[in-house]
């Protein structure tokens, strides 16, 4: 995380001075001891909000500003003296950052293999590898695009996204400054001017991109490296100009308190996970700039008295390992206790253990690594060896997961008939498919088909490749529930010579409105684009949802927006097969089965509790004549129950999505109805 700035850019509490003016010697270094206190405040906000509120506080953005402030000042001064010696600088970064990060990753592998349910192993291994290479933010950004991955349970190393961005910054930023120094030819006044202009351009470009992407795809923007660069650039601009703008002591006292109080309020007012970065990130960033601008006031009323208090500064020294440890401990605690929240006592235990491990890591790992008498080449070899150990541990864990997986060859057979058992009777008990270790990965994947972006959107339109002209072309449009239902349509299409085309967007069923989130303008726009694409394709039929929000208490509904889309297709002469939605639960069904056993009644639901005898679309009088309905309730429930497993196949991979395995077994059960609807 950004707490790496505690050792990621400079080794002390030095305040980077402004570059010397033309004709003058470099100014003396002035110390900035409140930096450690600001680090301590930021990491405290991050940790406490994660542990007790589950919210994002903005502390990460504070560390990004500090990183830009420290590293830019350090690089600018070094550039005035001569070449930057980039290889040596990067070798020191390896010794500062990698040992603690590798220690936490190794500890996470060991603890995760013991405490995490098998269903989370493969996701965790994938993210540990991404974290080891400091590209976890890009892994999570890719997951933000992939709706199947978006439903992943929070990873024990998800917090490495911010450290990944910082390491990328530490690698790229010296190259940028070196290029500017080359253009300026080491002239101090030219270097200051050129750096100011370059950083100002980076700031404007990155902030503009951040605001635009946050407005259109906030989950993607949150983890994207380029949406955060403006925070580093602003810190760099502050380093260049902090001593050139005179402020009175009273003004700096006010800056300090406004900044600190603003940071304290930020996490309680904003949930950064849902609104950052974009304009909202200006709040913690500006607060951090105010605290840095305040500096050491030596006023009895200055906030620097708090920030320079020795215990606070010591906590600042521990900010990097403390941040690294707190998140996996938090997630592992909840996993081991089978809880979604920590609670007061659990939170105190997590905090105490985090601090203890941070102290031990600082003393036994970080400090000895920094004292190693190694040269530049040795540092790189040390980093490669450390990385190899982490990857080896992750590979062993992945091998263990692979051994526990089961092939799906028997799916639909006598032992694992799945949906066929509803008609033929329950088979003898047999091991479940999909295997627990792979159930979370059991998505219907269409991304290997012929895919191209829907005009104006990154979401793909994917068409099934066929060897000969198809007899029918079928479009499947809607949300992730339709994605899973495609698993039943694929074998039917293969049997009858059809070609499937999918238009899918998570949490966005095909409607004239955004049904899941009324404020999601992107969903409504996507639906319009999908409707236009269908009109252009003129398929032989469209498959979409007939209802939504099937939950305990009979909340199922058929929105008017659904019917309006059906009417549009009916006017085009395109038949519609509308499928009744499957139930949603308030718990992960596979986790419930693991905890309470396959026969546990609480893992499923009573049919009468989630489904009314008459579906909601049957009560509407405005349904067009070209719409045929498929009642999914009859193939995910028996007469009385909607169970967690049917025919030794898990029905759900989480709390609401059918497994690809169960969807595949639906093919034989719904084939006649689908063929009749398509015509």
């Amino acid at each position: 995380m950004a707490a790496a700035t505690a050792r990621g850019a400079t080794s002390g509490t030095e305040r980077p001075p402004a570059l010397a003016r033309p004709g003058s010697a470099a100014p003396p270094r002035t110390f900035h001891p409140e930096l450690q206190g600001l680090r301590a405040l930021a990491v405290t906000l991050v940790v406490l909000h994660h542990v007790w509120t589950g919210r994002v506080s903005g502390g990460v953005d504070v560390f990004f500003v500090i990183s830009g402030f420290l590293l830019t000042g350090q690089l600018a001064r070094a550039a005035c003296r001569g070449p930057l010696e980039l290889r040596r600088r990067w070798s020191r970064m390896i010794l500062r950052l990698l040992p603690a990060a590798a220690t936490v990753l190794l500890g996470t592998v060991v603890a995760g293999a013991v405490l995490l349910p098998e269903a989370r192993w493969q996701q965790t291994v994938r993210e540990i590898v991404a974290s080891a290479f400091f590209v976890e933010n890009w892994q999570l950004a890719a997951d933000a695009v992939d709706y199947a991955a978006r439903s992943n349970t929070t990873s024990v190393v998800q917090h490495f996204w911010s450290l990944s961005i910082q390491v990328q910054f530490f690698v790229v930023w010296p190259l940028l400054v070196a290029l500017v120094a080359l253009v300026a030819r080491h002239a101090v006044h030219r270097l200051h001017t050129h750096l100011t202009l370059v950083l100002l351009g980076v700031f404007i470009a990155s902030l503009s991109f951040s605001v635009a992407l946050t407005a259109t795809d906030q989950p993607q923007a949150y983890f994207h490296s380029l949406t955060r660069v403006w925070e580093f650039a602003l810190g760099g601009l502050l380093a260049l100009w902090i001593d050139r703008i005179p402020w009175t002591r009273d003004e700096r006292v006010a800056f300090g308190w406004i900044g600190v109080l603003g940071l304290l309020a930020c996490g309680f007012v904003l949930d950064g996970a849902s609104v950052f970065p974009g304009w909202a990130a200006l709040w913690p960033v500006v607060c951090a700039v105010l605290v840095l601008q305040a500096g050491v006031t030596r006023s009895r009323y200055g906030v620097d008295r708090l920030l320079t208090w020795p215990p606070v500064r010591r906590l600042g020294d521990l900010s990097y390992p403390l941040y690294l440890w707190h998140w996996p401990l938090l997630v592992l605690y909840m996993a081991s206790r089978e809880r979604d929240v920590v609670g007061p006592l659990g939170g105190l235990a997590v905090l105490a253990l985090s601090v203890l491990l941070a102290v031990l890591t600082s003393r036994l790992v970080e400090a000895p690594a920094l004292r190693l008498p190694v040269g530049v080449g040795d540092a790189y070899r040390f980093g490669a060896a450390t990385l190899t150990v982490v990857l080896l541990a992750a590979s062993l864990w992945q091998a263990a997961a692979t051994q526990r997986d089961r092939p799906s060859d028997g799916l639909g057979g006598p032992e694992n008939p799945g949906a066929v058992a509803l008609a033929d009777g329950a088979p003898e008990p047999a091991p479940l498919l999909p295997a627990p270790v792979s159930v979370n990965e059991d998505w219907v994947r269409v991304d290997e088909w012929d895919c191209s972006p829907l005009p104006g959107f990154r979401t793909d339109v994917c068409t099934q490749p066929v060897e000969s002209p198809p007899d029918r072309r079928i479009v499947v449009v809607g949300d992730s529930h339709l994605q899973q239902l495609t698993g039943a349509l694929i074998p039917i299409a293969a049997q009858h010579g059809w070609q499937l085309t999918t238009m899918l967007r998570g949490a966005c069923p095909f409607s004239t409105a955004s049904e899941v989130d009324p404020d999601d303008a992107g969903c409504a726009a996507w639906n319009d684009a999908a409707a236009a694409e269908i009109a252009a394709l003129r398929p032989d039929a469209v498959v979409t949802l007939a209802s939504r929000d099937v939950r305990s208490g009979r909340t199922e509904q058929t929105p008017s927006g659904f019917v309006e889309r059906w009417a549009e297709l009916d006017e085009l002469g395109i038949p519609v097969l509308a499928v009744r939605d499957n139930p949603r639960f308030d718990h992960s069904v596979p986790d419930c089965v693991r905890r309470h056993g396959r026969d546990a009644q609480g893992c499923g639901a009573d049919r009468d509790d989630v489904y009314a005898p008459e579906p909601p679309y049957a009560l509407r009088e405005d349904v067009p004549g070209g719409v045929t309905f498929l009642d999914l309730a009859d193939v995910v429930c028996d007469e009385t129950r909607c169970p967690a497993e049917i025919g030794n196949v898990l029905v759900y991979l989480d709390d609401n999505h059918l497994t690809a395995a169960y969807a595949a077994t639906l093919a034989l059960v719904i084939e006649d109805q689908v063929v009749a609807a398509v015509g």
Side-chain angles (χ1 to χ4, degrees):
M1 172 225 157
T5 55
R7 292 166 183 83
T10 185
S11 58
T13 56
E14 177 187 332
R15 175 178 184 168
L19 295 181
R21 290 168 176 78
S24 67
R29 292 169 180 254
T30 55
F31 288 95
H32 208 332
E34 80 279 6
L35 265 177
Q36 293 297 74
L38 183 56
R39 291 189 187 106
L41 175 62
V43 77
T44 300
L45 290 174
V46 169
V47 172
L48 293 182
H49 279 281
H50 279 169
V51 171
W52 274 311
T53 71
R55 295 166 68 94
V56 175
S57 66
V60 167
D61 304 272
V62 172
F63 280 108
F64 290 165
V65 174
I66 295 175
S67 290
F69 179 74
L70 289 173
L71 188 57
T72 302
Q74 186 186 57
L75 290 169
R77 291 192 303 274
C80 291
R81 297 191 295 267
L84 290 180
E85 298 182 339
L86 298 183
R87 289 185 69 250
R88 182 175 298 277
R89 187 173 299 278
W90 290 327
S91 71
R92 291 198 298 267
M93 178 191 69
I94 291 172
L95 294 177
R96 283 191 295 264
L97 302 184
L98 189 55
T103 299
V104 173
L105 290 176
L106 285 172
T108 301
V109 168
V110 174
V114 175
L115 298 176
L116 288 178
E118 293 180 11
R120 297 175 64 174
W121 284 11
Q122 295 195 50
Q123 173 202 347
T124 305
V125 169
R126 184 170 59 247
E127 294 197 19
I128 283 175
V129 172
S131 298
F133 285 106
F134 299 106
V135 291
E136 170 68 350
N137 67 304
W138 290 113
Q139 175 67 54
L140 294 171
D143 289 351
V145 176
D146 180 359
Y147 188 79
R150 280 196 206 184
S151 68
N152 284 347
T153 308
T154 301
S155 166
V156 288
V157 292
Q158 180 170 304
H159 64 316
F160 266 76
W161 74 266
S162 56
L163 177 58
S164 298
I165 290 180
Q166 277 222 313
V167 170
Q168 294 159 25
F169 164 73
F170 290 146
V171 171
V172 173
W173 212 247
L175 292 171
L176 177 65
V177 176
L179 179 61
V180 175
L182 180 64
V183 173
R185 300 184 186 279
H186 307 300
V188 173
H189 66 287
R190 294 181 62 189
L191 178 60
H192 186 277
T193 301
H194 283 55
L195 265 181
T196 297
L197 292 175
V198 169
L199 295 190
L200 188 60
V202 170
F203 171 81
I204 294 172
S206 175
L207 179 58
S208 300
F209 176 69
S210 178
V211 171
L213 187 59
T214 301
T216 58
D217 193 341
Q218 189 272 334
Q220 168 82 352
Y222 191 87
F223 300 113
H224 200 295
S225 298
L226 298 183
T227 62
R228 305 281 182 165
V229 175
W230 66 271
E231 300 175 11
F232 297 103
L234 185 59
L237 288 168
L238 182 64
L240 297 177
W241 287 92
I242 191 168
D243 289 335
R244 298 195 176 200
I245 303 176
W247 301 101
T248 66
R249 186 168 71 169
D250 289 344
E251 288 171 334
R252 291 193 293 120
V253 168
F255 289 162
W257 279 111
I258 292 173
V260 167
L261 293 177
L263 284 174
L264 291 173
C266 178
F268 293 99
V269 177
L270 299 177
D271 183 3
S274 60
V275 299
F276 282 5
W279 291 114
L282 281 167
W283 183 333
V285 166
V286 171
C287 289
V289 168
L290 288 174
V291 175
L292 291 172
Q293 182 65 66
V296 178
T297 66
R298 294 186 173 84
S299 168
R300 62 185 299 183
Y301 304 111
V303 75
D304 50 293
R305 293 192 65 186
L306 171 64
L307 297 180
T308 57
W309 187 36
V312 174
R313 292 179 63 182
R314 177 56 182 153
L315 180 59
D317 288 334
L318 294 174
S319 57
Y320 179 42
L322 177 58
Y323 179 83
L324 290 179
W325 277 116
H326 90 281
W327 184 259
L329 291 176
L330 173 65
V331 176
L332 289 169
Y333 174 85
M334 291 190 292
S336 64
R337 300 297 297 272
E338 299 182 352
R339 296 179 178 177
D340 295 327
V341 294
V342 181
L345 293 180
L348 287 175
V350 169
L351 289 175
L353 186 55
S354 298
V355 172
L356 175 61
L357 290 176
V359 171
L360 292 176
T361 303
S362 177
R363 293 180 179 178
L364 303 180
V365 178
E366 286 188 297
L370 290 172
R371 291 195 297 265
L372 287 174
V374 297
V376 174
D378 294 329
Y380 286 104
R381 285 187 285 273
F382 171 79
T386 303
L387 185 62
T388 299
V389 173
V390 174
L391 296 178
L392 178 61
S395 298
L396 292 175
W397 195 8
Q398 178 63 44
T402 302
Q403 282 191 336
R404 299 195 181 198
D405 200 0
R406 291 184 61 220
S408 58
D409 297 344
L411 189 63
E415 287 191 350
N416 301 97
V420 177
L422 291 171
D424 295 350
E428 292 295 321
L432 282 174
L433 285 178
V437 74
S438 60
V439 64
N440 285 0
E441 310 287 327
D442 199 42
W443 285 85
V444 176
R445 308 303 306 217
V446 297
D447 47 8
E448 295 181 357
W449 293 0
D450 297 330
C451 300
S452 59
L454 185 68
F457 295 88
R458 289 184 296 106
T459 308
D460 285 340
V461 175
C462 295
T463 300
Q464 189 180 32
V466 292
E467 296 181 356
S468 58
D471 292 334
R472 294 284 189 276
R473 293 179 303 127
I474 314 298
V475 168
V476 181
V477 59
D479 62 8
S480 54
H481 284 202
L482 267 299
Q483 176 176 336
Q484 293 307 92
L485 186 65
T486 304
L489 300 178
I490 290 173
I492 298 175
Q495 181 71 24
H496 295 275
W498 301 345
Q499 183 180 47
L500 301 177
T501 295
T502 59
M503 302 179 189
L504 305 168
R505 179 182 170 113
C508 188
F510 190 51
S511 174
T512 56
S514 177
E515 302 292 349
V516 177
D517 179 4
D519 296 327
D520 185 0
C523 173
W526 180 88
N527 272 320
D528 289 340
E533 186 74 8
I534 293 171
L537 289 175
R538 292 298 178 105
D540 295 292
V542 167
V543 180
T544 189
L545 278 182
S547 66
R548 63 173 300 271
D549 204 26
V550 180
R551 300 179 187 270
S552 177
R554 294 186 178 180
T555 58
E556 183 184 16
Q557 57 183 292
T558 297
S560 297
F562 282 21
V563 181
E564 291 167 1
R565 288 297 185 198
W566 303 342
E568 293 174 0
L569 296 173
D570 189 57
E571 290 180 2
L572 295 172
I574 301 174
V576 175
L577 174 61
V579 183
R580 192 177 190 181
D581 203 6
N582 61 263
R584 296 172 181 266
F585 301 88
D586 59 1
H587 57 268
S588 168
V589 175
D591 285 353
C592 181
V593 171
R594 178 183 62 85
R595 295 171 187 170
H596 305 294
R598 294 172 58 174
D599 296 328
Q601 292 293 299
C603 296
D606 288 335
R607 177 167 177 159
D608 289 341
D609 189 34
V610 293
Y611 283 121
E614 287 290 320
Y617 48 79
L619 305 178
R620 298 194 65 106
E621 298 179 354
D622 53 350
V623 175
V627 180
T628 304
F629 294 100
L630 171 62
D631 193 343
L632 209 62
D634 294 330
V635 292
V636 296
C637 308
D638 57 29
E639 294 181 355
T640 59
R641 293 282 296 170
C642 301
E645 64 166 279
I646 296 175
N648 295 326
V649 177
L650 276 169
V651 181
Y652 304 94
L653 63 86
D654 51 20
D655 61 351
N656 71 100
H657 293 96
L658 298 179
T659 61
Y662 189 76
T665 69
L666 286 175
L668 291 176
V669 178
I670 67 173
E671 181 177 5
D672 292 342
Q673 293 172 273
V674 172
V675 172
V678 171

